[in-house]
Amino acid sequence: MIEFIGCTGAGKTTLISDVQRRLVQIASVTTSFRLVASPLGLRNVTNPTARHLIQEFIGFPFFIRSLYRHKAFIIFILRMLARQAGFSVFMMNNLRSLVRKISVYEMTKRRQHKQIVLVDEGTVLLAHNIFVYSSALYTAEEIARFASLVPLPDIIIYIKAPVETLVQRSLLRADPPRELKSRNRELIEKQINRAVRMFDQLVEAENIQSRLLIVENSGLSEQQYDTVVNDIAELIMDHSRVVKDV
């Protein structure tokens, strides 16, 4: 299981697609959404809301079965969400996100021995929902606690870009996250700065460092970008060979 993380506008989705195209020539590879949706013939659904609903519906039994195993992590997330004043749309969406991400994680873990699975919105990215879009302040200890409890993928690819680039890409997105739909440049820049600081803190955790690749995705020539895609694909294939040999 390979999870791609990074701020809105970092280019995660595009990079995942290009890495998948490179890998499919030499290995069996899919994305986490397609792994979940394919058995029902829904792998080609593109609407984000529909994709979320599909993952929640199919994955919910897996979430229920894994409650005890992820009990400490779930309790931590619930406590972080409870700091928001009252029950809100923010809390409801993040509860759904928690269920969805753990469900997909569990389904992927059960099937990843059959093929390489690339994850766009995984358990580690849940930190973005909890720490960035929340109005509450967070501490370094809370980031460290999240890192110690979160169910981890085999490899984490952290996609980075300068703040100004992230802001520009976010403003140009046709489908921005609901939290950024105001198109308010000042608000977007504030949230992206907060996200960059949070991710930079998060990836310092020892258990994340041991499975981390950081990729700078800005100002690259076509040749440099191809090299990045090849390097990621090679890392994934090397890991896949090691796992098969164990």
Side-chain angles (χ1 to χ4, degrees):
M1 186 191 315
I2 298 86
E3 182 176 348
F4 291 69
I5 66 171
C7 302
T8 300
K12 297 185 296 295
T13 303
T14 300
L15 193 55
I16 286 174
S17 297
D18 291 335
V19 170
Q20 183 179 11
R21 277 193 288 270
R22 194 65 49 89
L23 285 172
V24 78
Q25 303 170 24
I26 54 176
S28 176
V29 59
T30 189
T31 62
S32 54
F33 173 74
R34 290 197 164 197
L35 182 146
V36 171
S38 289
L40 294 184
L42 301 171
R43 59 182 294 174
N44 294 320
V45 172
T46 58
N47 179 274
T49 301
R51 288 166 68 100
H52 286 169
L53 289 171
I54 289 167
Q55 291 174 90
E56 290 161 17
F57 176 76
I58 297 175
F60 190 69
F62 292 86
F63 173 77
I64 295 298
R65 286 199 291 269
S66 69
L67 273 174
Y68 183 78
R69 184 161 51 255
H70 302 304
K71 177 182 176 182
F73 178 63
I74 292 169
I75 290 173
F76 171 78
I77 296 299
L78 292 177
R79 285 176 177 167
M80 295 299 296
L81 291 175
R83 299 192 305 181
Q84 297 295 308
F87 190 82
S88 63
V89 173
F90 169 85
M91 182 177 288
M92 181 180 69
N93 287 333
N94 279 289
L95 287 173
R96 288 178 57 195
S97 182
L98 172 65
V99 172
R100 184 168 64 247
K101 287 174 170 57
I102 289 182
S103 300
V104 172
Y105 176 87
E106 286 295 314
M107 294 182 72
T108 302
K109 288 292 285 186
R110 283 167 169 74
R111 303 181 192 179
Q112 67 174 353
H113 65 283
K114 296 181 179 179
Q115 58 189 156
I116 296 166
V117 183
L118 308 179
V119 183
D120 189 357
E121 294 187 17
T123 49
V124 180
L125 196 64
L126 188 62
H128 192 274
N129 302 53
I130 302 303
F131 297 117
V132 176
Y133 291 143
S134 166
S135 60
L137 297 178
Y138 62 84
T139 65
E141 289 73 21
E142 287 167 339
I143 294 287
R145 182 64 173 161
F146 176 94
S148 71
L149 294 174
V150 62
L152 289 172
D154 301 302
I155 298 173
I156 300 170
I157 313 291
Y158 176 23
I159 314 301
K160 300 188 67 173
V163 170
E164 181 58 30
T165 300
L166 295 170
V167 171
Q168 289 293 339
R169 290 175 180 171
S170 297
L171 287 168
L172 293 172
R173 281 185 63 158
D175 61 336
R178 64 176 62 86
E179 293 84 357
L180 300 181
K181 284 186 177 179
S182 68
R183 303 290 185 178
N184 182 306
R185 184 184 181 88
E186 183 178 350
L187 175 60
I188 289 174
E189 186 169 351
K190 179 180 178 181
Q191 290 186 325
I192 286 176
N193 270 303
R194 183 175 168 117
V196 169
R197 289 194 299 270
M198 185 278 296
F199 277 123
D200 286 348
Q201 283 182 275
L202 180 64
V203 299
E204 287 299 315
E206 186 176 345
N207 60 334
I208 289 181
Q209 279 279 320
S210 63
R211 60 191 75 205
L212 178 70
L213 174 67
I214 297 177
V215 173
E216 295 286 346
N217 185 26
S218 176
L220 301 177
S221 66
E222 185 175 341
Q223 183 176 0
Q224 289 171 324
Y225 182 80
D226 283 345
T227 299
V228 167
V229 172
N230 284 333
D231 287 347
I232 294 173
E234 185 175 337
L235 172 69
I236 292 170
M237 286 306 302
D238 286 346
H239 173 77
S240 180
R241 294 187 191 102
V242 168
V243 170
K244 287 180 179 178
D245 288 342
V246 173

